[in-house]
Amino acid sequence: MSFHTIEYSAGMVSPSSNNQLALGNVQSGAAASHGIFTYDGGIPMLFFVPFNDPNRYEYKQKIISHGGIITDTEPNESTGNRIILLSSFNIRGQLCFKLSFIDDSIKNNGVCDLSNYKYQIPEVYDPSSISGQNKIIKINSEGDGAGQNDAAAFSNVISRNVRPPPMRTSRRFNDLKDEYILKQIRLNPRLRNSHKFFDGLATHDVLKGHTGNSIRSRYRNHLESRLAYVYKTDEDGALIKSADGKNIRESLENLPKTLKNRFTALEDFNLCTELIEYSRQKYYEDLESGAVEKDEDGKPKPFDLYQEFTAPVSFFTMMAKTYPSHSYHSWRDRYRKFVRQYGAQKYIDDYNRSIQNGETPEQMKNFTGKKAGLTRGFKELIGSSYNDNYRALPSNENARDDETIDEKIKQIRSSDYEGAAGNVGEIQEAEGGPNNDLEQVIESQSQPESQSQGQGGSVLESQSTSQMWSNFDIKYLPQGITLEDLFNKNFYKIAPSEISSKVETILNDIELSAPALLLKSFNEIGINDVFTAHLIMASSGDIVNMQVFIDKFLDLIPHLQEDQLYDGLQIEDTDGIWTNKLDSYLLSGSKQDMKKLQAIQSPHSIDARRLFLEKFA
DNA sequence: GAGCACACCCACACACCAC
DNA sequence: GGTGGTGTGTGGGTGTGCT
């Protein structure tokens, strides 16, 4: 039903003879059979109460129940519809009447003089336009002349002493506000996620009383699905007009980019592959020119896929040109904050593995921000199952949180120790990544295999084995170590829950072990040689203690920040596990130090440690 | 209890600047 | 030109209190 199709005659709405706007020929009393708010013939009067009016619902009921109609269409000056605007408060710039008109009319059982309920003439009101299209209640000029001087009529209104409802702005959204928001989004589609844009909208009169966040939330949670279309804009977000100067509608399929675009896994993959390809070409150029660094034998060092790559400006310029989804600065920043942290080849490996497993590769993440330390990065690397498995532990260990872990680290960390002993070994530099590392170790250190060591003993137990291991650099890991130092890519291929059992299997089979074989076995489950060296150093080569160390450390890892990795290795609360600090206590020979040591280590462990240090330190 | 309005958070894309 | 440091504010949420 369209209310606008009702033909209103001049007599329906006409000013009174005394120049006061009045409703003429409106049924009252006798018209009750049709309701109070009707014209002659029972035609209902049309009212509009703003959607945000706090009393809208109440008066909607009153109007309807007394024969009137409340429309959802605002009074429209240009179309000249015959709708009476009622409001709890004055609306600037519009001809508006008080709601008490309804109350009083109902009380009188007949329509009161509407002119008595008009709010003061708004400042922007143009009296000269009252006889034209700008009238809200269109007065037919063929009437009794009211249209000729409605302004004077309004100015002569004697306001009734009716206290308007308190000025109150509802903070609820309504259709009007919603449409306004949608309109602004359509005009500025690139800004549809921008906080600042919505902050700006909050200053618009229509949306006064709402915060930018609130409007943004309203759009994201309720209005986005109603957007339907936007207006076409250029790359800078400026509206593109049609030949006749109108905005051009654009379907949502062609939504313009927002201000920032998240890097996808594919983009990360492209960045890594391009970076490695660029570096490889550079390497071969350097090889030809003799600029490649040489090893001890004077041979050019091989191209290392797992090295930390660097790239010049030209590389990022090329990236921005080849992949225009991100700017030069964005590609460079992505490289600086993500690729360098993650490792280009490592990401490619992970990406390919995901594809092979039928999984969707994930982009690099959690490498920025204050809290983006090792914990989250590590979880991302090894998968969420690690945490799940960890939490599923039956012991009370699973109740630990970061805070208690920090406490634990504090307990096992000696604040006055760092660097004091001075014999912390350097990480054994390995050319060509973990695999090359292994090959080198095997080549340089492989010896005839030892006789069986038996279970539960030391990998260094026999004289012959000790001699073999004496060629291997057994030392603690230094400060500043990274995950990449500890684990190679094989580590991330194994389910976290299986690591410990695989370590156990290897250690149980240690009877067949030579140094090279142990290193190789550990390499195959992702443990780098330098970490194996640390394990042996910390456990005095004791198989059981090696297992204990691994288990404790794996438990600790998910709760360590990047700069806490070294601290996590300093397990000082377990009999049979040693650190540089405990060694220094032992070597100092002072009573005080020995007392501290005996609080942790059993006499047997202390004796075994003395022997171990004599042979290997 | 559900829906809503709003505050607040955080990772990070993008940019600028200093050295 | 290369690099590191850092600021701004977007994008994508979650939390909380009110209706």
Side-chain angles (χ1 to χ4, degrees):
Chain A
M1 175 180 178
S2 170
F3 302 122
H4 304 142
T5 59
I6 299 172
E7 288 298 325
Y8 283 74
S9 69
M12 288 178 182
V13 181
S14 63
S16 66
S17 57
N18 64 355
N19 276 346
Q20 288 188 346
L21 186 65
L23 295 170
N25 300 328
V26 176
Q27 291 184 354
S28 65
S33 59
H34 294 109
I36 294 171
F37 302 114
T38 57
Y39 298 111
D40 282 344
I43 298 172
M45 295 170 71
L46 304 179
F47 298 94
F48 176 80
V49 179
F51 295 106
N52 63 342
D53 194 298
N55 297 307
R56 185 174 196 267
Y57 182 78
E58 176 188 346
Y59 281 88
K60 184 177 179 181
Q61 302 303 319
K62 288 179 178 177
I63 290 167
I64 292 171
S65 63
H66 290 88
I69 288 175
I70 189 156
T71 78
D72 287 339
T73 305
E74 289 183 69
N76 188 314
E77 297 172 11
S78 60
T79 59
N81 62 27
R82 298 164 175 80
I83 299 169
I84 300 166
L85 175 60
L86 298 171
S87 174
S88 296
F89 43 86
N90 197 1
I91 299 177
R92 182 186 167 94
Q94 293 197 49
L95 183 57
C96 175
F97 299 90
K98 296 167 184 172
L99 286 166
S100 53
F101 165 76
I102 301 297
D103 294 322
D104 292 347
S105 295
I106 293 170
K107 199 182 291 177
N108 289 344
N109 200 27
V111 174
C112 294
D113 187 344
L114 184 61
S115 61
N116 290 334
Y117 299 90
K118 188 192 74 62
Y119 284 104
Q120 284 188 334
I121 299 170
E123 291 171 20
V124 295
Y125 184 72
D126 178 8
S128 65
S129 67
I130 194 71
S131 59
Q133 290 186 330
N134 288 340
K135 284 192 293 187
I136 291 175
I137 301 174
K138 186 179 179 183
I139 309 294
N140 192 323
S141 59
E142 292 176 9
D144 57 7
Q148 298 163 13
N149 202 5
D150 281 345
F154 286 137
S155 66
N156 290 333
V157 166
I158 302 169
S159 296
R160 287 175 41 163
N161 188 22
V162 177
R163 183 189 293 266
M167 282 289 281
R168 211 169 48 153
T169 50
S170 166
R171 300 209 310 194
R172 305 290 284 186
F173 287 97
N174 56 40
D175 285 351
L176 183 69
K177 293 177 181 178
D178 287 350
E179 280 307 317
Y180 187 80
I181 295 167
L182 286 170
K183 181 182 169 189
Q184 293 300 319
I185 298 288
R186 287 173 184 134
L187 291 169
N188 302 278
R190 284 200 72 199
L191 305 178
R192 62 188 180 275
N193 285 326
S194 162
H195 290 258
K196 282 200 89 176
F197 170 68
F198 287 99
D199 285 344
L201 282 190
T203 66
H204 293 201
D205 282 349
V206 178
L207 297 168
K208 277 265 172 64
H210 295 279
T211 63
N213 267 328
S214 171
I215 300 166
R216 184 169 178 267
S217 169
R218 177 73 183 173
Y219 168 68
R220 290 168 61 84
N221 295 328
H222 304 284
L223 304 181
E224 198 165 11
S225 58
R226 286 169 49 187
L227 189 60
Y229 65 92
V230 296
Y231 292 118
K232 197 170 184 176
T233 57
D234 62 19
E235 286 185 358
D236 297 326
L239 285 167
I240 298 172
K241 304 271 188 181
S242 63
D244 55 356
K246 291 182 178 172
N247 292 326
I248 303 168
R249 287 192 181 192
E250 189 83 280
S251 75
L252 297 186
E253 290 172 3
N254 298 318
L255 263 180
K257 287 192 306 182
T258 51
L259 300 180
K260 293 182 180 178
N261 299 293
R262 301 255 147 181
F263 278 87
T264 64
L266 180 59
E267 287 171 337
D268 281 340
F269 178 79
N270 288 337
L271 176 57
C272 291
T273 51
E274 294 280 5
L275 179 62
I276 289 178
E277 202 46 45
Y278 174 89
S279 303
R280 197 195 304 275
Q281 281 183 19
K282 176 80 169 45
Y283 171 82
Y284 285 120
E285 285 170 17
D286 290 347
L287 199 61
E288 281 186 15
S289 64
V292 172
E293 205 180 333
K294 306 236 176 3
D295 60 18
E296 308 89 58
D297 301 331
K299 293 177 183 173
K301 289 186 175 177
F303 181 70
D304 181 3
L305 270 176
Y306 291 88
Q307 67 183 286
E308 184 179 297
F309 296 99
T310 56
V313 169
S314 60
F315 172 76
F316 300 108
T317 307
M318 178 277 291
M319 285 301 292
K321 196 175 173 184
T322 312
Y323 306 97
S325 53
H326 297 280
S327 67
Y328 158 82
H329 283 110
S330 302
W331 283 113
R332 179 174 168 260
D333 204 48
R334 189 69 181 172
Y335 154 75
R336 287 169 61 195
K337 291 176 181 165
F338 291 84
V339 176
R340 222 151 44 176
Q341 304 276 333
Y342 199 109
Q345 185 57 44
K346 189 143 78 66
Y347 182 74
I348 291 170
D349 292 343
D350 290 346
Y351 184 95
N352 287 333
R353 191 176 65 250
S354 295
I355 297 288
Q356 283 164 10
N357 293 340
E359 299 162 357
T360 305
E362 286 196 13
Q363 68 272 44
M364 287 178 264
K365 53 189 176 186
N366 296 324
F367 284 102
T368 66
K370 292 171 187 171
K371 292 185 177 179
L374 175 62
T375 301
R376 298 186 67 168
F378 184 82
K379 286 175 191 167
E380 291 296 332
L381 282 172
I382 67 175
S384 57
S385 61
Y386 191 97
N387 196 41
D388 294 340
N389 291 336
Y390 176 79
R391 290 184 189 283
L393 287 173
S395 73
N396 59 3
E397 295 282 290
N398 63 351
R400 291 184 301 189
D401 55 22
D402 288 346
E403 213 172 294
T404 56
I405 287 294
D406 285 345
E407 275 305 307
K408 188 172 176 62
I409 290 168
K410 279 179 194 168
Q411 286 169 14
I412 64 176
R413 180 178 184 168
S414 168
S415 59
D416 60 355
Y417 162 69
E418 289 169 10
N423 61 344
V424 174
E426 291 177 3
I427 288 183
Q428 188 181 11
E429 289 292 331
E431 296 296 330
N435 293 333
N436 290 351
D437 185 10
L438 172 63
E439 286 163 12
Q440 279 196 347
V441 170
I442 290 173
E443 279 177 20
S444 64
Q445 301 184 340
S446 183
Q447 299 285 336
E449 291 185 1
S450 69
Q451 63 190 40
S452 167
Q453 296 297 315
Q455 289 188 10
S458 166
V459 294
L460 314 169
E461 213 166 64
S462 74
Q463 184 64 32
S464 59
T465 306
S466 296
Q467 285 169 355
M468 287 185 284
W469 280 96
S470 66
N471 292 329
F472 181 65
D473 204 0
I474 298 172
K475 57 180 131 186
Y476 290 117
L477 284 160
Q479 290 191 57
I481 48 138
T482 65
L483 271 180
E484 284 70 29
D485 296 324
L486 301 182
F487 304 114
N488 64 43
K489 60 183 178 181
N490 295 334
F491 182 78
Y492 306 106
K493 293 177 183 172
I494 300 170
S497 56
E498 293 176 13
I499 294 279
S500 178
S501 61
K502 285 193 179 292
V503 168
E504 191 179 355
T505 303
I506 291 168
L507 292 175
N508 284 342
D509 292 336
I510 204 70
E511 61 208 25
L512 301 173
S513 172
L517 191 55
L518 179 65
L519 294 170
K520 182 170 181 283
S521 299
F522 271 4
N523 257 269
E524 285 170 351
I525 63 167
I527 296 173
N528 283 339
D529 297 342
V530 287
F531 191 22
T532 304
H534 183 95
L535 276 172
I536 293 168
M537 188 69 182
S539 64
S540 306
D542 183 86
I543 291 168
V544 173
N545 288 335
M546 284 174 79
Q547 181 82 50
V548 169
F549 187 102
I550 282 279
D551 290 345
K552 277 182 171 273
F553 186 61
L554 289 178
D555 273 358
L556 206 54
I557 282 182
H559 303 273
L560 293 174
Q561 300 294 312
E562 182 82 64
D563 59 356
Q564 295 173 326
L565 194 52
Y566 173 81
D567 297 330
L569 290 166
Q570 311 307 302
I571 298 172
E572 294 182 349
D573 60 354
T574 306
D575 184 22
I577 306 294
W578 292 78
T579 65
N580 220 332
K581 180 176 130 187
L582 297 181
D583 285 344
S584 68
Y585 287 163
L586 183 63
L587 296 173
S588 82
S590 79
K591 279 186 180 177
Q592 203 176 1
D593 285 344
M594 285 306 290
K595 211 171 182 179
K596 290 178 193 170
L597 201 55
Q598 284 162 350
I600 302 166
Q601 304 287 356
S602 66
H604 172 77
S605 291
I606 292 172
D607 288 340
R609 188 64 178 177
R610 279 208 184 92
L611 286 172
F612 176 84
L613 291 178
E614 279 173 21
K615 285 181 182 175
F616 298 101

